[in-house]
């Protein structure tokens, strides 16, 4: 820090007083009271289909207690905040890898994946991560449903809702339709032709202009939704003077944000008025963001009028100008190694200038300001990469102006991605080479190669943007172009207009040493054995089977035991069967207390701090079903009984093993298929391209076992060459690799094959180095041979 101060002295004459930061203790207390730990989970994609596997890698970032995080739980949550499934995986040294299989029975729709670790502060997980996803069905739709607008005028809207069989025939019975629009809720039925008319009167002032329709036919249901044309509504405008205040007699830089009545950003034109006369014309972009400068005069009245085709012309009053104060302006807020600031004031005064990130103070000095403009250049040699804050304070450390900026922004790619070709045929070999560029020695990354249509850019978050921006700023809007970090122009606007951190000066100034006192604990997955519904009075031996191994664990005196024991870990996807070693007394009972599931269930109902996603239009339920060209044809369930042979039992056995119609054991292409059968012990099956004799399932009588979920070890992604031309290969994720170590002195080479799905594919590589996070992506095409 001394080198930084000396360099400032040599460059800037106005920084004439150096001092120990009087807020040093406050920063230290605030860092402990409000830690900035971060969990990022790289999921292979964000659009899945039923029966698909969700692959993921979890990275702990910026935590001081890395070894206290021992488990990571991943939950799938529906739109009603209910957990559909949950699984647990080992976390070691800040890394957790795993996969979960989406069941065949899952309803298509929008969901989210919630990841937490077991380490809690005051009974709340220290870190969590949420990924919105969409799930489509690989089944044929039970019935088709669609809706369209027939007419619209100032009185209201008339719509037609239609329902048919999957092959466009009339349904045998009427369909029940429930719909909601604004304050209106109603239920109707389709007529004999499967159609129904919805008439809706126009409603003023709706914040949600979507019509929500749910169709129910026998045991099946589907949903549709679309925004309806609206009368001209009132916009909302927020003004953000740079630095915090508008000061009269000085040039002020004003950021502004405009949204329509449904809270969606919108591009508009606006006029700036001074005493009812237009002095400037300004515009916002498609994100609803804009900036303008103006000179504020004492006694003058300033207004702001928004003009847009679909909004009412609306007049707003600009924030009042202060007679005295300072105006802070940063020439560029996204910088590499030097920050240039402009300070304007109307009176001579001595102020404190501080650069910090609310966890540490990196520069504090006193500056003597004279009237007029002062320009200061500050080298950022010892300021860390990422979001930092420049705060100007008075003699009592009260903030007068504040501005957030991004230090050491670098647009250079950290990982080089290269494929041997840019266009491939189906089932063709790909060679992928990855090279860590010369900025650090090693990196640990995960690699996903997926069908590009399975990544929704609005739902996508990369590790760099999340670590430096989403985790630091509140309510950060999505960037339709992809990575916010890489879009420098967009990031500049965000830091001026949306740059309100999850940390603030008032909390920093008021934090006390007692605020750092916290209770730390770990969430547990506990098993418990009781006798006649009462605790035991002496330990018992419990056996466990989850794969080919049988394990033994001894309970405590009261019958409790912890699943987080290496001897009880099972392979991903395998259930665990518990039994008592030497006692078949039916009065003994097993129970499981999953504290991670209980905690995730509570977190599911807590509103997200992130800005909500815009609800997409869905007027046809076919959008929630995988295209026929991207899935295998599924045969109807049949029963086979060959005379003189063992009757084939359909489905999987108690161990979860099954054989697909092509003789492949646990084939990932047929998970949940109604025609899979249970494997026969001693028979040879294909598995991962090799022939293997099936040893059998040890669970023969489920009645004497207690079936439960344990803690899982990750499994490797099977790289298939698809040599069997009869075996379908409709995979949207064609490659996944976790914990790949990249070395700047050695190129990594990976081989895999394309599947039967044609189109554009995306390669996503992201992970961590010793000091940074890294991310890059590339593309290639697959065409029909």
């Amino acid at each position: 820090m001394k080198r930084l101060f000396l360099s400032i002295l040599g460059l800037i004459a106005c920084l004439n007083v150096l001092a120990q930061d009087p807020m040093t203790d406050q920063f230290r207390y605030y860092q402990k009271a409000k830690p900035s730990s971060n969990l990022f989970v790289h999921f292979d994609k964000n659009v899945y289909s039923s029966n698909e596997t969700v692959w993921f890698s979890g990275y702990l970032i910026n935590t001081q207690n890395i070894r206290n995080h021992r488990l990571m739980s991943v939950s799938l949550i529906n739109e009603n905040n209910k957990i559909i499934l949950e699984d647990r995986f080992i976390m070691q040294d800040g890394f957790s890898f795993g996969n979960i299989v989406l069941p065949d029975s899952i309803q298509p729709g929008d969901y989210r994946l919630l990841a937490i670790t077991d380490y809690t502060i005051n009974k709340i997980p220290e870190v969590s991560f949420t990924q919105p996803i969409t799930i489509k069905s690989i089944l044929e739709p039970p019935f088709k449903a669609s809706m369209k607008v027939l007419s619209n005028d100032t009185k209201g809207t008339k719509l037609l809702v239609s329902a048919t069989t999957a092959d466009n025939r009339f349904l045998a019975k009427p369909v029940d339709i429930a719909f909601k629009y604004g304050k209106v809720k109603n239920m109707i039925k389709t007529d004999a032709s499967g159609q129904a008319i919805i008439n809706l009167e126009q409603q003023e002032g709706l914040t949600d202009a979507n019509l929500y329709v749910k169709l129910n036919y026998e045991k099946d249901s589907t949903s549709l939704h679309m925004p309806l044309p609206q009368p001209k509504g009132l916009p909302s405008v927020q003004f953000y003077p740079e630095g915090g205040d508008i000061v009269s007699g000085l040039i002020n830089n004003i950021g502004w944000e405009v949204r329509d009545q449904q809270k969606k950003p919108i591009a508009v034109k606006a006029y700036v008025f001074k005493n009812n006369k237009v002095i400037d014309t300004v515009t916002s972009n498609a994100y609803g963001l804009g900036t303008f400068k103006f000179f504020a005069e004492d006694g003058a009245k300033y207004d702001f009028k928004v003009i847009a085709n679909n909004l009412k012309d609306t007049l707003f009053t600009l924030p009042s100008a202060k007679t005295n104060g300072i105006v802070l302006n940063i020439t560029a807020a996204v910088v590499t190694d030097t920050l240039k600031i402009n300070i304007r004031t109307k009176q001579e005064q001595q102020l404190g200038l501080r650069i910090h990130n609310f966890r540490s103070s990196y520069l504090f000095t006193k500056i003597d300001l004279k009237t007029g403009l002062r320009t200061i250049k500050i080298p950022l040699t010892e300021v860390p990469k990422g979001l930092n804050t420049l705060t100007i304070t008075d003699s009592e450390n009260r903030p007068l102006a504040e501005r957030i900026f991004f230090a050491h922004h670098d647009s250079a790619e950290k990982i080089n991605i290269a494929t041997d070709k840019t266009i491939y045929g189906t089932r063709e070999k790909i060679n992928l080479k990855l090279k860590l560029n010369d900025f650090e020695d090693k990196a640990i990354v995960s690699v996903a190669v997926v069908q590009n249509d399975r990544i929704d850019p609005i739902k996508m978050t990369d590790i760099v943007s999340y670590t430096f921006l989403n985790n630091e700023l509140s309510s950060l809007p999505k960037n339709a172009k992809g990575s916010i970090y890489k879009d420098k122009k967009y990031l500049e606007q965000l830091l001026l207009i949306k740059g309100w951190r999850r940390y603030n000066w008032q909390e920093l100034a008021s934090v006390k040493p007692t605020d750092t006192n916290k209770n730390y604990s770990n969430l547990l997955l506990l098993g418990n054995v009781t006798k006649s519904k009462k605790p035991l009075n002496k330990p018992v031996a419990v056996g466990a089977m989850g794969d080919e191994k049988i394990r033994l664990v001894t309970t405590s005196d009261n019958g409790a035991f912890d699943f987080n024991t290496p001897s009880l870990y099972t392979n991903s996807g395998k259930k665990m069967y518990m039994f008592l070693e030497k006692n078949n007394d039916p009065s003994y009972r097993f129970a499981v207390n999953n504290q991670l599931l209980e905690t995730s269930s509570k977190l599911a109902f807590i509103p997200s701090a992130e800005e909500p996603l815009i609800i997409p239009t869905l007027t046809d339920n076919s959008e929630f079903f995988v295209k026929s060209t991207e899935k295998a044809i599924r045969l109807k369930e049949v029963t086979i009984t060959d005379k003189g042979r063992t009757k084939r039992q359909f489905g999987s056995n108690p161990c979860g093993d099954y054989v697909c119609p092509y003789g492949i054991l646990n084939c990932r292409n047929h998970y949940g298929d109604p025609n899979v059968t249970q494997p026969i012990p001693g028979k040879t099956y294909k598995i991962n391209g090799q022939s293997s004799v099936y040893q059998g399932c040890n669970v023969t009588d489920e009645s004497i076992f207690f079936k439960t979920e344990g803690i899982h070890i990750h499994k490797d992604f099977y790289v298939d060459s698809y040599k069997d031309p009869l075996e379908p290969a409709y995979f949207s994720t064609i490659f996944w690799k976790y914990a790949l170590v990249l070395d700047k002195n050695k190129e990594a080479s990976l081989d895999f094959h394309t599947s039967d799905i044609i189109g554009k594919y995306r390669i996503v590589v992201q992970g961590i180095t010793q000091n940074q996070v890294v991310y890059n992506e590339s593309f290639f095409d697959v065409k029909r041979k």
Side-chain angles (χ1 to χ4, degrees), residues 137-151:
S137 176
I138 62 171
L139 304 175
E140 291 300 317
F143 62 92
K144 289 184 178 180
S146 64
M147 68 177 174
K148 63 180 180 180
V149 175
L150 295 179
S151 62

Side-chain angles (χ1 to χ4, degrees), residues 324-364:
N324 293 309
I326 64 171
V327 171
L328 174 63
N329 168 251
I330 291 181
T331 306
V334 183
V335 296
T336 52
D337 55 7
T338 302
L339 182 68
K340 181 181 178 181
I341 66 173
N342 299 311
I343 303 177
R344 292 179 173 88
T345 183
K346 296 190 298 182
Q347 57 185 7
E348 294 186 3
Q349 53 188 315
Q350 186 180 77
L351 302 174
L353 184 151
R354 178 183 285 103
I355 290 179
H356 61 94
N357 62 2
F358 286 98
R359 295 181 286 275
S360 297
S361 177
Y362 302 102
L363 180 151
F364 174 74

Side-chain angles (χ1 to χ4, degrees), residues 30 35 205 246 289 291 343 353 358 382 461 467 594 683 706 720:
Y30 196 51
I246 298 175
L289 308 178
T291 61
I343 303 177
L353 184 151
F358 286 98
E382 295 188 19
T461 303
T467 299
N594 187 347
K683 190 172 181 179
F706 175 74
D720 201 333

Side-chain angles (χ1 to χ4, degrees), residues 408-683:
H408 306 294
H409 186 274
D410 182 6
S411 58
E413 300 296 354
K414 304 299 186 294
I415 301 173
N416 184 55
I417 302 175
T419 53
D420 53 338
K421 295 195 302 183
T422 57
I423 300 177
Y424 297 88
T426 56
R427 304 198 183 199
E428 185 175 350
K429 184 179 179 180
I430 297 176
N431 177 251
L432 171 65
K433 286 185 167 57
L434 304 176
K435 179 71 163 54
L436 185 65
N437 293 328
D438 295 333
F439 80 107
E440 289 216 31
D441 292 335
K442 293 184 183 297
I444 299 176
V445 301
S446 46
V447 183
V449 184
V450 302
Q451 183 186 1
N452 193 54
D453 288 346
R454 293 300 192 95
I455 295 181
D456 183 345
I458 295 298
K459 292 184 173 73
M460 184 176 180
T461 303
D462 64 89
I463 193 170
V464 177
S465 297
Y466 185 82
T467 299
F468 289 121
L469 300 169
N470 299 72
N471 194 53
E472 296 287 325
L473 299 173
S474 60
S475 190
L476 190 64
K478 296 289 185 180
N479 183 10
K481 295 180 181 179
S483 172
I484 297 177
Y485 176 86
K486 292 184 178 182
D487 193 341
K488 190 173 179 180
K489 182 178 179 180
Y490 181 54
L491 183 55
E492 281 279 2
Q493 292 178 312
L494 286 181
L495 296 186
L496 173 62
I497 297 170
K498 304 291 286 188
W500 306 110
R501 302 190 66 157
R502 292 176 176 172
Y503 316 95
N504 62 70
W505 190 267
Q506 288 73 22
E507 287 183 352
L508 171 68
S510 61
V511 70
K512 305 180 294 295
T514 54
D515 294 331
T516 65
N517 297 331
K518 299 178 180 295
N519 295 317
Y520 303 92
S521 61
N522 286 84
L523 299 172
L524 302 174
L525 181 66
L526 297 173
N528 191 50
V529 181
T530 60
K531 181 176 174 58
S532 301
K533 299 182 180 182
K534 296 180 181 180
L536 304 183
N537 53 24
K538 63 180 180 180
V540 296
V542 175
M545 291 189 301
D547 40 38
E548 69 279 359
K549 295 184 292 186
I550 297 178
R551 301 112 165 151
L552 290 176
V553 63
T554 302
T555 71
S556 63
D557 289 345
N558 63 2
F561 61 95
D562 191 347
F563 277 93
N564 195 5
T565 303
S567 61
L568 290 181
Y569 296 158
T570 57
N571 293 326
S572 178
K574 295 291 185 181
K575 294 188 180 295
M576 177 169 285
Y577 292 85
M578 314 295 296
F579 60 94
L580 293 179
E581 183 188 17
K582 295 181 179 180
N583 198 322
N584 294 324
D585 188 339
S587 64
Y588 284 93
R589 290 288 184 268
F590 284 95
V592 173
N593 178 15
N594 187 347
Q595 297 176 2
L596 292 104
L597 175 59
E598 292 174 1
T599 301
S600 296
S601 298
K602 295 175 183 177
L603 293 178
F605 284 91
I606 298 177
S608 173
E610 298 295 325
E611 185 165 303
L613 298 175
I614 295 176
I615 299 173
T617 299
L618 183 66
T619 58
D620 189 327
N621 70 337
S622 63
E623 292 293 319
F624 275 134
F625 294 85
V626 177
K627 299 176 183 177
S628 60
T629 57
E630 297 177 3
K631 64 182 179 181
I633 298 175
R634 300 188 67 173
L635 301 176
K636 293 183 178 180
E637 185 173 351
V638 296
T639 302
I640 300 175
T641 54
D642 295 337
K643 294 182 179 181
R645 296 185 181 181
T646 303
K647 183 178 179 180
R648 296 172 63 184
Q649 295 181 320
F650 287 92
S652 58
N653 62 21
C655 293
D657 299 324
Y658 61 91
V659 179
C660 79
Y662 296 88
I664 299 175
L665 182 66
N666 297 331
C667 172
R668 62 182 177 132
N669 207 26
H670 291 88
Y671 178 87
D673 191 297
N675 289 294
V676 300
T677 57
Q678 296 185 14
I680 299 172
K683 190 172 181 179

Side-chain angles (χ1 to χ4, degrees), residues 78-96:
N78 66 13
E79 292 183 292
N80 295 322
N81 299 318
K82 180 182 178 182
I83 291 182
I84 304 301
L85 58 88
E86 182 264 350
D87 208 345
R88 301 138 304 282
F89 297 85
I90 301 166
M91 173 164 276
Q92 187 172 9
D93 297 327
F95 298 97
S96 183

